[in-house]
Amino acid sequence: MNREAVFKELEEMLPCGCVTRDCDMSKLTSFKAGGRAGALISPVNTAQLRKTLMVLSGSGIPYTVIGNGTNVLFTDRGYPGAVVRIGEGFSGVAVDGDELTAGAGALLAETARIAMEAGLTGLEFAAGIPGSVGGAVFMNAGAYGDEIKDVVKCVDVVSKDGGGEFTLNRDEMGFSYRRSLLHGTGDIATGAAFKLVCGDPREIREKMRGNNELRNKKQPVSVPSAGSFFKRPEGYYAGKLIEDAGLKGLSAGGAKVSELHAGFIVNDGNATASDIIDLMEVVRETVYDKFGVRLEPEVRIIGD
Ligand SMILES: Cc1cc2nc3c(=O)[nH]c(=O)nc-3n(C[C@H](O)[C@H](O)[C@H](O)COP(=O)(O)OP(=O)(O)OC[C@H]3O[C@@H](n4cnc5c(N)ncnc54)[C@H](O)[C@@H]3O)c2cc1C
């Protein structure tokens, strides 16, 4: 099946507005750089998601998933296939006792705020992470020594081909540093349940405020980026290695190693995805030459 026929089938199958052809992905990603996708598909419930995945998996055209686009970079040449976005339709959050359930499209920061208001502690670390619950589960997002895996109870998942729907408990999710089972399976999270602990809302708010204050002071949060560009290499800190290699402030086109936190590559103006990737390569090579440590990107690079 050709792309045109597949996108047309999806347009006819899904409600109006769920399919955007030739979508500018720089508008949907926190890096504010990169190319276009063949189509952006935004199903608003699990039934629509499953049907979408069934069509796509049977079509032979490539497809990928995004949440809030805060840990991805689309190349300038773009992605010819379909990008399935888990967004607003999956954003419900509910609290029942010490358990909180959230749709995969809910923003993590908003989810942490709801937990705080309900007097539930455990998600304070997540208050400043700009991703969605689905992206955070996929990445096992973390900060200040805490990670999603510490609080997640189970995750609702749809199989990559849309054929199955199941719930995986925390142990089945294969969490490790910035990784989960979903990296290997390509299955899609539609929601998660978190097991939290009752606490004092004022203390929780205070902890969140402190965390965010620290983040605002130490990270370039007001400039487009995708957060820490590299994973933490065992026994080191990526930012420290990059700084010690003298790379703070280095730029390539519109991309720059942040002066505030060398672990961040920022879009300092009109960076292209190629500027960002070129700078990433220079950083990796220099750090390897100087310290023999191979930095691996945490940011997911998508496209040709
Ligand atoms: C300023 C800034 C600060 C940040 N600070 C932190 C931090 O402290 N800690 C941290 O861990 N991260 C941090 N990040 C990175 C990012 O916010 C997290 O990795 C976040 O979890 C990504 O969520 P997302 O919804 O934006 O995912 P996306 O960027 O949209 O996607 C990331 C990956 O997850 C996959 N994915 C997304 N949704 C789903 C889903 N529903 N099911 C299956 N796969 C899915 C995508 O295919 C992709 O491979 C930061 C980013 C920025 C810009």
Side-chain angles (χ1 to χ4, degrees):
M1 229 166 152
N2 68 28
R3 272 195 334 156
E4 174 57 31
V6 175
F7 295 162
K8 197 151 191 299
E9 183 177 345
L10 290 169
E11 276 165 347
E12 283 165 6
M13 190 183 84
L14 295 169
C16 189
C18 288
V19 178
T20 309
R21 302 268 194 128
D22 190 29
C23 185
D24 180 356
M25 296 309 295
S26 72
K27 301 259 190 312
L28 289 173
T29 51
S30 58
F31 246 134
K32 304 280 170 250
R36 308 180 85 85
L40 177 79
I41 321 288
S42 310
V44 298
N45 57 42
T46 303
Q48 284 181 16
L49 172 65
R50 288 187 63 178
K51 283 202 247 169
T52 298
L53 296 170
M54 282 179 199
V55 170
L56 289 171
S57 64
S59 73
I61 70 163
Y63 59 101
T64 189
V65 176
I66 63 163
N68 204 34
T70 63
N71 209 37
V72 287
L73 175 66
F74 282 81
T75 60
D76 294 321
R77 280 217 239 150
Y79 185 71
V83 176
V84 179
R85 182 161 191 252
I86 306 298
E88 289 77 27
F90 296 83
S91 59
V93 179
V95 175
D96 182 8
D98 60 1
E99 200 169 305
L100 180 148
T101 51
L107 292 181
L108 199 56
E110 175 65 3
T111 306
R113 190 190 61 76
I114 292 171
M116 180 262 290
E117 279 178 357
L120 293 176
T121 177
L123 275 173
E124 290 88 330
F125 76 92
I129 301 178
S132 66
V133 165
V137 163
F138 178 90
M139 293 300 298
N140 184 25
Y144 319 111
D146 292 323
E147 292 176 313
I148 282 292
K149 74 169 171 51
D150 303 326
V151 280
V152 95
K153 183 183 166 204
C154 57
V155 179
D156 293 328
V157 169
V158 163
S159 63
K160 190 171 187 207
D161 62 3
E165 207 178 319
F166 42 97
T167 300
L168 298 171
N169 64 37
R170 184 188 26 195
D171 294 340
E172 291 169 319
M173 278 297 295
F175 287 122
S176 58
Y177 174 68
R178 299 297 174 266
R179 217 182 145 79
S180 69
L181 175 88
L182 306 184
H183 284 236
T185 62
D187 294 342
I188 291 129
T190 55
F194 298 93
K195 186 95 177 113
L196 303 170
V197 175
C198 292
D200 176 357
R202 272 174 310 179
E203 280 176 23
I204 299 168
R205 187 191 301 272
E206 205 37 45
K207 193 166 172 193
M208 278 165 60
R209 202 191 53 75
N211 284 348
N212 284 346
E213 207 172 273
L214 204 66
R215 190 181 277 273
N216 293 340
K217 211 155 69 189
K218 298 209 159 166
Q219 297 181 359
V221 289
S222 56
V223 193
S225 78
S228 297
F229 199 95
F230 299 100
K231 291 185 193 162
R232 196 178 56 232
E234 189 117 16
Y236 299 91
Y237 289 101
K240 171 104 174 52
L241 289 171
I242 297 167
E243 184 171 349
D244 291 350
L247 299 173
K248 231 181 189 183
L250 182 76
S251 56
K256 189 173 180 182
V257 175
S258 168
E259 307 264 12
L260 193 58
H261 187 316
F264 281 56
I265 292 181
V266 296
N267 179 350
D268 199 30
N270 293 318
T272 60
S274 303
D275 292 341
I276 295 166
I277 292 166
D278 288 349
L279 188 56
M280 169 191 85
E281 293 298 357
V282 173
V283 169
R284 293 183 76 193
E285 274 166 33
T286 312
V287 166
Y288 186 70
D289 286 349
K290 292 215 163 160
F291 305 114
V293 179
R294 281 212 188 282
L295 293 178
E296 293 301 331
E298 178 179 319
V299 174
R300 317 270 301 167
I301 298 170
I302 303 173
D304 287 343

